[in-house]
Amino acid sequence: MAKLIKSLFCCIVFAYSAMAQVPLNDLAYTDSLSAILNGQHNDSSKSGAAFQLTEYYAQKDTIRAMQYLQQSRAWLGNSPLLRALYPYYYGLLLARTQPPLAEAQFLLADSLLKKIPGSASCGFQARAWQKYGVLQQVKDNEEAYMDIIIHKVMPLARQAGDSIFIGKSLLDLGIVFKNNAKRDKAEAYCLEAISVLKGREGAESLLVEVYYTIAENYILSGKNPQARAMLDSAWVLLSPYPESDKVIDYYGAEGMYYTMQAQFDKALGSLDKGIQLARRRGLRYEGQRLELQQFYAYYNQKNFAKAKEVMLRLMQQPEMMARANNRIQLYYGLAETYRALGQMTPAYQWLMSFSQLSDSLSASRSRNEISALEAKYRNAESRKRISVLEAASESSSLSARNTLLTLWLLAAVSIALVIASAFTLFYYRNNKKLSEQKEINYQQQLREMEQQQQLGISRAMLEGEERERRRVARDLHDGLGGMLAGVKIKLSNLGAGHDHHAALHNIVGQLDSSMKELRLIARNLMPESLLKFGLETALKDLCESLRSERTQIDFQAFGIEPDIAEPVQVTIYRIVQETLTNAIRHANASEILLQCSQNGDAFFITVEDNGKGFDLSGIANAAGIGMSNIKNRVKYLKGKLDISSVLNEGTTINIELNVGD
């Protein structure tokens, strides 16, 4: 039964991954969307609210979801994005009842969205492919699902800059590894998802799902303290919203935790809380999933009568019986329960039903168990006949024949068990080899993705350096070269004029300007103060050189350590230089605040100005060399870049860099 408990909870976690991501306070969420539909808002806002309500009710109330989807059509207008999103939300509505049609809708949405530029269309492309992949997973094609997540969903989510959906993709990979008993891999992906999602606004609901998943993975790995810690982390987020749908799943995970520790009363208590909440929310299937977990608690508690009562009740529920995975659980659970009660005939019948429905390894193992159970059943029937014959006659010859028959039956049972064990061992070894090969393939794909990303970053850095060299050459030729050429011409003509004093004064002035230009170019190439006195002094000199009557720069430094590696210091200097230059040249700022601080291996840069600002919607496609250089250098130091800007009010740039070895 322990194996069935583990497979049951894998099915429950899969249900998590297919659900829509909504805030934990889902009641306030739906109320706010309904207010938009009924208020004075533009068509775009109303269509977006109708789409979100469609997704929310798609798994709860299909009639209501269809009503919202139909309402959305009145507000689509001529917007290409809204029209491309309609098949995506229609696919969500069809996913449970008509999977083939849902697949077609998701592919249609992708084909329409890829024609629309921008991060929003990329983000919805990622979602369409994720939903398409889930439908492949439902068909037990996990290889296709993994391929879609790795090669479709995650690249599109990164292109859209959607960190939350990247976290969801990592969770999906973790669930696949968990379902295939790759506990270490599942843990690694879940921990990475937590690092991506933790602290991000709007990620609380998805973060709770990650906590459930890794908690269940720890439970199945026997790491109970870690599992309890993850459940507690989930409850910290859930406790303000005791009526949230996510609380139902929390009680399910907690019930699993107590069941696997043989604390059955606590398990039943947690599961009952979840069942009552599901009934209050009208979520029939969610409540039935928790009732199925109650069966395992009762069974392992050896309360077989109560376990049978739960299973027979679930057999009458259309929501539970609609899914083949659930029927497999119910059939096998009833077979085991009747066997424990000593009722071999119904146990054999339910095990036959289980065998007809299951496939692959589960089917193979069930057939072996059926053979053993059938032999026991026939053995019991034979013994009944033997008893009748012995009562009718005390003939020694008849007793001998009956004894011989019993020995033959026992021998048959032993042979059947040996054959079953041999087939199970053979199948297990083959399946293990296939799983190891799949894991090698998955890791190779991930390594190739990382290598491509590193190559892209290196290429961008080299191109930036090449542009810098061209700029220096242009400055030398057009600036300093022209000035010195003028000096040469005037010195050549000096003898032909009369006012030598005025001419010499003019030439000295030009030479002075040439020297200033030379110093400026030298500072741009490599500031001497950086090499001699360190980063903080160089930044102070940079601010002094850029400060003017129309532009004031306030520089503040906190805890900058002198032992930062020289290449890192140069990179930080270039980042600050580009941000200040952009603020002066492009934003026309009159006041600039520059703050630089260090905390261990983390280096923080903040640049605030009161310039004219800009539209952030175009920053992802910005073609300016300055902004491109900033982004590439931040990536080079494994940093993070955050820009906020308001038109006619100013811009704030926050940068976090890794300056460790």
Side-chain angles (χ1 to χ4, degrees):
M1 290 302 289
K3 294 178 181 177
L4 279 187
I5 292 176
K6 294 180 179 180
S7 64
L8 164 68
F9 291 118
C10 290
C11 295
I12 292 172
V13 173
F14 173 75
Y16 294 164
S17 68
M19 294 171 66
Q21 295 304 315
V22 299
L24 294 175
N25 190 358
D26 54 343
L27 296 177
Y29 171 74
T30 55
D31 288 345
S32 64
L33 293 175
S34 298
I36 293 175
L37 292 182
N38 299 322
Q40 299 297 322
H41 296 274
N42 58 39
D43 288 352
S44 178
S45 298
K46 287 188 175 183
S47 63
F51 281 152
Q52 289 174 278
L53 286 169
T54 299
E55 183 168 12
Y56 178 78
Y57 286 107
Q59 304 294 323
K60 305 172 184 290
D61 187 340
T62 54
I63 295 176
R64 194 169 183 181
M66 178 58 77
Q67 291 173 347
Y68 284 120
L69 185 63
Q70 290 174 345
Q71 288 182 35
S72 71
R73 301 185 67 172
W75 300 306
L76 296 180
N78 296 321
S79 169
L81 179 60
L82 293 177
R83 289 186 173 275
L85 290 180
Y86 185 86
Y88 167 73
Y89 286 99
Y90 187 37
L92 294 179
L93 193 59
L94 296 172
R96 177 176 288 185
T97 57
Q98 302 181 66
L101 293 180
E103 289 181 359
Q105 291 299 311
F106 292 140
L107 293 177
L108 174 60
D110 173 69
S111 66
L112 295 174
L113 287 165
K114 69 174 55 175
K115 301 175 183 177
I116 303 172
S119 59
S121 59
C122 288
F124 277 104
Q125 275 186 269
R127 283 161 173 75
W129 276 109
Q130 193 272 340
K131 298 300 182 185
Y132 181 85
V134 167
L135 293 178
Q136 309 316 303
Q137 190 182 33
V138 169
K139 294 187 290 188
D140 294 327
N141 192 352
E142 287 201 339
E143 184 176 355
Y145 178 60
M146 287 280 288
D147 184 72
I148 288 170
I149 294 296
I150 294 172
H151 294 104
K152 291 287 188 181
V153 178
M154 296 189 75
L156 285 167
R158 290 193 178 99
Q159 188 176 348
D162 191 341
S163 299
I164 294 180
F165 209 71
I166 291 172
K168 168 146 183 60
S169 299
L170 293 169
L171 170 61
D172 290 341
L173 293 174
I175 290 173
V176 171
F177 283 116
K178 187 182 79 66
N179 291 349
N180 287 277
K182 301 292 185 181
R183 309 293 179 214
D184 293 340
K185 294 294 182 183
E187 178 184 359
Y189 278 109
C190 288
L191 290 175
E192 187 176 355
I194 290 173
S195 68
V196 171
L197 297 171
K198 199 169 185 179
R200 291 193 177 274
E201 184 178 359
E204 294 82 3
S205 178
L206 183 59
L207 188 59
V208 165
E209 291 187 23
V210 183
Y211 285 141
Y212 295 159
T213 302
I214 194 170
E216 291 162 355
N217 189 68
Y218 281 141
I219 293 168
L220 298 174
S221 303
K223 299 178 180 179
N224 292 323
Q226 295 94 321
R228 183 71 261 179
M230 290 299 168
L231 288 174
D232 292 341
S233 296
W235 186 247
V236 169
L237 297 175
L238 287 170
S239 57
Y241 313 106
E243 293 296 309
S244 170
D245 291 355
K246 301 292 184 184
V247 176
I248 300 173
D249 297 325
Y250 169 81
Y251 285 129
E254 189 175 57
M256 176 186 181
Y257 171 78
Y258 288 130
T259 298
M260 296 299 285
Q261 291 199 88
Q263 300 182 35
F264 303 117
D265 290 338
K266 288 185 177 181
L268 292 169
S270 295
L271 294 171
D272 187 63
K273 292 177 184 177
I275 292 169
Q276 297 305 319
L277 177 56
R279 290 173 180 170
R280 291 197 299 273
R281 298 300 303 272
L283 302 173
R284 290 176 54 83
Y285 179 69
E286 284 71 12
Q288 292 164 19
R289 285 194 293 109
L290 267 62
E291 288 187 70
L292 186 55
Q293 289 183 244
Q294 280 188 328
F295 159 77
Y296 286 95
Y298 283 128
Y299 183 92
N300 286 280
Q301 197 180 31
K302 300 191 184 303
N303 189 347
F304 302 122
K306 193 67 176 178
K308 183 180 75 171
E309 176 186 333
V310 171
M311 295 298 268
L312 293 176
R313 182 170 64 251
L314 289 175
M315 289 284 293
Q316 306 301 317
Q317 308 304 317
E319 296 86 359
M320 178 62 63
M321 295 298 291
R323 301 187 180 189
N325 285 340
N326 294 339
R327 294 199 299 275
I328 287 176
Q329 297 289 325
L330 295 174
Y331 295 163
Y332 191 77
L334 280 169
E336 286 292 315
T337 302
Y338 277 115
R339 182 192 62 78
L341 291 170
Q343 301 176 26
M344 303 304 295
T345 299
Y348 171 69
Q349 292 171 346
W350 283 115
L351 202 55
M352 285 296 295
S353 298
F354 167 78
S355 175
Q356 293 170 1
L357 184 60
S358 61
D359 55 15
S360 73
L361 179 60
S362 298
S364 175
R365 290 177 177 174
S366 67
R367 283 193 291 271
N368 295 334
E369 293 165 343
I370 288 171
S371 298
L373 187 59
E374 182 180 16
K376 292 179 182 178
Y377 166 73
R378 296 191 183 281
N379 186 29
E381 293 296 310
S382 297
R383 291 191 179 189
K384 289 181 183 178
R385 290 195 296 271
I386 290 172
S387 298
V388 172
L389 291 174
E390 285 179 341
S393 174
E394 296 181 354
S395 171
S396 60
S397 60
L398 183 59
S399 298
R401 285 198 301 273
N402 288 336
T403 302
L404 183 61
L405 176 61
T406 301
L407 292 174
W408 275 107
L409 288 172
L410 290 174
V413 170
S414 301
I415 293 172
L417 289 175
V418 171
I419 294 173
S421 300
F423 273 109
T424 301
L425 179 61
F426 174 79
Y427 196 98
Y428 170 78
R429 287 180 176 177
N430 285 346
N431 189 61
K432 183 178 180 181
K433 291 179 180 179
L434 289 173
S435 298
E436 290 174 349
Q437 186 59 45
K438 287 182 179 179
E439 172 66 11
I440 292 172
N441 293 338
Y442 293 150
Q443 290 301 315
Q444 181 64 28
Q445 291 171 349
L446 291 174
R447 283 195 296 270
E448 290 176 356
M449 288 175 61
E450 292 176 355
Q451 290 172 359
Q452 290 297 326
Q453 186 177 17
Q454 291 299 324
L455 286 173
I457 293 173
S458 299
R459 190 180 301 111
M461 290 296 295
L462 291 174
E463 290 174 355
E465 290 175 359
E466 186 61 29
R467 285 194 293 268
E468 185 73 9
R469 292 190 183 99
R470 289 198 296 268
R471 185 185 67 79
V472 171
R474 186 171 59 252
D475 287 349
L476 288 171
H477 181 273
D478 296 341
L480 184 58
M483 291 181 179
L484 293 177
V487 172
K488 177 181 178 181
I489 292 171
K490 290 188 177 182
L491 286 175
S492 298
N493 298 330
L494 183 60
H498 298 285
D499 191 355
H500 293 177
H501 179 74
L504 285 173
H505 181 75
N506 189 15
I507 293 171
V508 170
Q510 282 190 314
L511 286 174
D512 185 53
S513 298
S514 299
M515 294 304 295
K516 290 181 180 178
E517 182 72 12
L518 179 60
R519 285 194 294 271
L520 179 59
I521 294 171
R523 184 182 294 110
N524 287 335
L525 282 172
M526 180 58 70
E528 185 177 2
S529 59
L530 178 64
L531 300 177
K532 289 185 176 181
F533 306 110
L535 178 60
E536 184 174 345
T537 301
L539 292 176
K540 187 181 299 181
D541 290 348
L542 175 63
C543 293
E544 288 292 338
S545 67
L546 296 176
R547 188 178 290 119
S548 65
E549 292 182 358
R550 61 180 300 274
T551 304
Q552 296 298 316
I553 302 176
D554 182 10
F555 172 59
Q556 300 174 1
F558 306 99
I560 299 178
E561 298 179 4
D563 57 351
I564 300 175
E566 183 177 299
V568 176
Q569 293 189 45
V570 172
T571 302
I572 294 172
Y573 182 89
R574 294 302 184 202
I575 292 172
V576 174
Q577 187 179 37
E578 290 287 0
T579 57
L580 293 178
T581 301
N582 287 343
I584 295 171
R585 292 181 180 175
H586 304 300
N588 296 325
S590 61
E591 294 182 3
I592 302 174
L593 171 62
L594 169 64
Q595 290 183 334
C596 296
S597 61
Q598 184 178 355
N599 184 7
D601 290 340
F603 194 96
F604 303 94
I605 302 171
T606 298
V607 181
E608 297 181 5
D609 68 65
N610 65 345
K612 61 184 181 181
F614 58 90
D615 184 3
L616 286 174
S617 62
I619 191 67
N621 299 318
I625 294 176
M627 184 56 67
S628 176
N629 285 338
I630 292 173
K631 290 181 179 178
N632 291 332
R633 288 187 170 99
V634 170
K635 288 182 181 178
Y636 175 70
L637 292 183
K638 302 176 182 178
K640 301 176 182 177
L641 172 64
D642 179 69
I643 303 175
S644 61
S645 184
V646 179
L647 289 175
N648 301 320
E649 292 187 16
T651 301
T652 300
I653 299 177
N654 290 301
I655 301 173
E656 180 182 345
L657 304 172
N658 179 18
V659 298
D661 294 336

